[in-house]
Amino acid sequence: MPKYYQFKVANCFLYFTSKCVVEAMHAHASKDGKLQEHGSAKFFVKGNGDSVVTNTGDLNEREIRVIKLFIKERYLEMYEKWSEYSQNGFYNK
């Protein structure tokens, strides 16, 4: 499963799975190294870098806030990685 970054953000890996590429761009955030959708938070990314959380998984409010800010600052860089695997664009486009 592709990770956006090899390092953790708010103690979570940001990644997507092979099943994800049929949806709009998003990132899963998970604290464990299994990188499975089950138990992970899900952040759909809009064209302006804002994100919509549709599942919080086991993340707390602070972790979600930190990840949303991280995505906002790096969403174009993340989109480059996403577009290597998917033709689907940003959320709500």
Side-chain angles (χ1 to χ4, degrees), residues 1-6 13-21 26 28 35 81-82 84-85:
M1 280 157 266
K3 291 181 190 173
Y4 287 105
Y5 302 97
Q6 295 302 312
F13 288 109
L14 300 180
Y15 61 94
F16 55 94
T17 70
S18 59
K19 296 177 185 176
C20 292
V21 296
H26 63 277
H28 289 277
L35 307 182
K81 183 76 162 179
W82 173 265
E84 291 175 18
Y85 297 87

Side-chain angles (χ1 to χ4, degrees), residues 29-80:
S30 180
K31 294 178 184 180
D32 66 28
K34 295 178 185 175
L35 307 182
Q36 298 175 353
E37 289 187 52
H38 177 72
S40 70
K42 190 172 185 179
F43 297 78
F44 278 96
V45 183
K46 296 182 178 183
N48 65 357
D50 290 341
S51 55
V52 176
V53 181
T54 59
N55 182 13
T56 59
D58 61 356
L59 275 64
N60 62 41
E61 290 181 29
R62 182 196 161 281
E63 292 165 328
I64 291 170
R65 188 174 58 252
V66 169
I67 291 170
K68 288 180 86 168
L69 179 59
F70 182 88
I71 291 171
K72 178 76 171 177
E73 293 172 348
R74 299 198 180 179
Y75 75 100
L76 292 175
E77 181 182 321
M78 292 172 70
Y79 183 73
E80 287 180 30

